[in-house]
């Protein structure tokens, strides 16, 4: 399983993903699920992935190939696409075609291959945009009313986001919010696991302005998690029925 | 959708269910999902239901018929069964047979009928027991390590239970915990809805010692929900990243 979350705020975008993958319950590994493509100051695109590892890895690899291809154009390369909408379309089409290809291979095993992605980015002169790409290649976009998108095991971590994330939330608070959202998910679902990848893309910077890998023993994350537990317990105690 | 939760604590059992059902998104109704069978002081059994309404209603109706049948025995009537384990078996078998029967009717529509139940109870001289009955009729039981069971839309409301519910939690705190767990679920999933049914079964009372229907406008619930939101926001503000 996986949990990835992205926030689209006035000041920028905040992205967080876990790294646990499993092929069955008895085969657990660590794989990065956050991939950044950037030409600092000109264009930044960060993609987070959930679902079948063979689908997501192949999709990302083909997106890279398309960027490096000699004949790359704005129709094929996410680094040349004229708009973020076009980027989302290229990613969606690639995901859908890889998924269909692998799905066909798995049909004889009566298994399904599926994956979804979050695409966050900005190109110079454009606005920041945050998309959720479905396995079929279609997508939705974060808006002022719903400034966050999640993929994977999204339910445990949604209540805290529903409560505290607004477009005017600061980038500092937003990092706290996604980390606490992840903390709830880690506690309730063993198939989501450390380390975590955190990225912040400040508005109009067109590059990743903060990138942090949070390892299992990270004392800052542990302290925050403990403080949140204490706050919840204290809050709970103080409430009258 | 549905959310029902049951806690098995040293002092007793606390049960909470919502009442929203829907046949498609455009056909929403209110149905009770908590059913009590009792002979006060001798035996109490409370059943909560999730899933296809036709399956759960028919199962409950047949359990009632079996109780009232002239030839009722400890093998067929949950009010005569010698143990709570036997009660769980009777409910499980009835649920599985009704589900199979309705499933067959739906096969031509390529739809599945499914349902699950929580069964809580105690008979005089026995111990309190809390079971989760699966659609196939098999079941699991709450224990000291995992003193709560949930059916329906369980994920949004699980983090708070994971954090505060222990076997030695008081019945007062337990009511708070299930109501806050429901509050998180109501906020995040529109297909779970008010009014709510709350029941408390004190240990060895062998009857429902508190029964409360909480309507949509309930000021006490609204105040608790608001206080919890405030506590979460305050806790969030105080945490340092």
């Amino acid at each position: 399983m996986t949990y990835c979350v992205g926030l689209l705020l006035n000041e920028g975008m905040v992205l967080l993903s876990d790294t646990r993958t499993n092929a069955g319950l008895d085969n657990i590994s660590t794989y990065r699920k956050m991939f950044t493509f950037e030409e600092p100051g000109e264009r930044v695109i960060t993609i987070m992935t959930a679902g079948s590892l063979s689908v997501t890895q192949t999709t990302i690899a083909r997106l890279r190939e398309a960027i490096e291809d000699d004949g790359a154009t704005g129709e094929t390369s996410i680094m040349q696409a004229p708009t973020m909408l076009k980027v989302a379309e290229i990613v969606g089409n690639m995901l859908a075609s890889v998924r269909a290809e692998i799905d066909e291979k798995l049909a004889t095993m009566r298994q399904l291959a599926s994956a979804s992605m979050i695409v966050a980015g900005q190109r110079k002169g454009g606005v920041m945009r945050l998309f959720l790409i479905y396995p079929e290649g279609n997508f939705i976009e974060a808006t002022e009313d719903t400034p966050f998108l999640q993929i994977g095991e999204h339910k445990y971590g949604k209540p805290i986001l529903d409560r505290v994330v607004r477009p005017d939330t600061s980038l500092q608070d937003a990092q706290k919010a996604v980390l606490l959202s992840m903390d709830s998910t880690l506690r309730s679902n063993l198939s989501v696991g450390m380390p975590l990848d955190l990225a912040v893309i400040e508005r109009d910077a067109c590059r990743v302005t903060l990138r942090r890998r949070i390892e299992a023993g990270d004392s800052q994350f542990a302290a925050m998690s403990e403080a949140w537990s204490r706050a919840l317990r204290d809050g709970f105690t103080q409430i009258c029925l």
Side-chain angles (χ1 to χ4, degrees), chain A residues 8-56:
Chain A
L8 174 69
L9 309 168
N10 298 342
E11 297 181 9
M13 295 188 286
V14 175
L15 310 165
L16 181 68
S17 63
D18 83 317
T19 53
R20 185 158 295 175
T21 66
N22 61 298
L25 275 173
D26 53 354
N27 186 357
I28 291 180
S29 317
T30 298
Y31 281 94
R32 170 173 285 272
K33 300 173 189 172
M34 184 187 284
F35 304 89
T36 296
F37 303 81
E38 67 181 335
E39 191 186 336
E42 290 295 325
R43 177 184 303 242
V44 59
I45 298 165
T46 297
I47 302 180
M48 295 187 289
T49 63
S52 303
L53 188 61
S54 68
V55 174
T56 60

Side-chain angles (χ1 to χ4, degrees), chain A residues 33-105:
Chain A
K33 300 173 189 172
M34 184 187 284
F35 304 89
T36 296
F37 303 81
E38 67 181 335
E39 191 186 336
E42 290 295 325
R43 177 184 303 242
V44 59
I45 298 165
T46 297
I47 302 180
M48 295 187 289
T49 63
S52 303
L53 188 61
S54 68
V55 174
T56 60
Q57 282 192 335
T58 304
T59 304
I60 296 292
R62 294 224 180 128
L63 289 171
R64 276 194 215 288
E65 277 188 359
I67 292 169
E68 288 155 14
D69 189 87
D70 288 338
T73 69
E75 286 296 313
T76 59
S77 160
I78 58 174
M79 292 307 281
Q80 294 186 37
T83 62
M84 275 305 299
L85 185 69
K86 187 70 200 174
V87 169
E89 272 177 34
I90 294 173
V91 175
N93 290 340
M94 189 63 88
L95 173 61
S97 81
V98 171
R99 191 191 64 82
E101 199 179 307
I102 295 182
D103 225 21
E104 206 174 313
K105 293 188 213 292

Side-chain angles (χ1 to χ4, degrees), chain A residues 16 175-183 196 214 221 224:
Chain A
L16 181 68
Q175 290 177 61
K176 253 199 306 188
V178 295
L179 288 168
L180 293 176
S181 173
M182 180 64 81
D183 184 52
L196 311 176
I214 301 165
F221 183 73
M224 198 196 64

Side-chain angles (χ1 to χ4, degrees), chain A residues 43-240:
Chain A
R43 177 184 303 242
V44 59
I45 298 165
T46 297
I47 302 180
M48 295 187 289
T49 63
S52 303
L53 188 61
S54 68
V55 174
T56 60
Q57 282 192 335
T58 304
T59 304
I60 296 292
R62 294 224 180 128
L63 289 171
R64 276 194 215 288
E65 277 188 359
I67 292 169
E68 288 155 14
D69 189 87
D70 288 338
T73 69
E75 286 296 313
T76 59
S77 160
I78 58 174
M79 292 307 281
Q80 294 186 37
T83 62
M84 275 305 299
L85 185 69
K86 187 70 200 174
V87 169
E89 272 177 34
I90 294 173
V91 175
N93 290 340
M94 189 63 88
L95 173 61
S97 81
V98 171
R99 191 191 64 82
E101 199 179 307
I102 295 182
D103 225 21
E104 206 174 313
K105 293 188 213 292
L106 295 190
T108 53
M109 299 294 286
R110 296 188 190 191
Q111 289 187 359
L112 271 176
S114 190
S116 52
M117 298 188 168
I118 287 176
V119 176
Q122 187 178 18
R123 61 181 180 85
K124 197 174 167 181
V127 296
M128 300 180 298
R129 295 178 81 166
L130 181 69
F131 297 94
L132 190 165
I133 319 271
Y134 290 109
E136 294 75 18
N138 57 330
F139 47 81
I140 59 170
E141 187 173 0
T143 63
E144 278 210 353
D145 293 324
T146 306
F148 64 88
L149 294 172
Q150 306 166 288
I151 52 176
E153 178 57 281
H154 64 283
K155 292 189 179 183
Y156 297 117
K158 186 162 179 282
I160 176 73
L161 301 177
D162 280 333
R163 281 189 156 99
V164 305
V165 177
R166 304 281 173 272
D168 61 358
T169 300
S170 72
L171 292 179
Q172 191 73 4
D173 276 357
Q175 290 177 61
K176 253 199 306 188
V178 295
L179 288 168
L180 293 176
S181 173
M182 180 64 81
D183 184 52
S184 292
T185 311
L186 293 170
R187 272 171 193 265
S188 291
N189 188 332
L190 275 189
S191 73
V192 176
M194 310 276 278
L196 311 176
D197 287 310
L198 176 72
V200 177
I201 300 173
E202 282 178 35
R203 193 177 63 172
D204 298 336
C206 291
R207 62 184 181 86
V208 175
T209 40
L210 183 147
R211 203 188 301 249
R212 192 176 145 209
R213 170 152 282 204
I214 301 165
E215 299 287 346
D218 189 275
S219 59
Q220 196 185 353
F221 183 73
M224 198 196 64
S225 169
E226 181 44 44
W228 182 237
S229 279
R230 212 167 31 241
L232 289 179
R233 280 195 303 268
D234 291 353
F236 182 81
T237 308
Q238 283 155 25
I239 284 175
C240 303

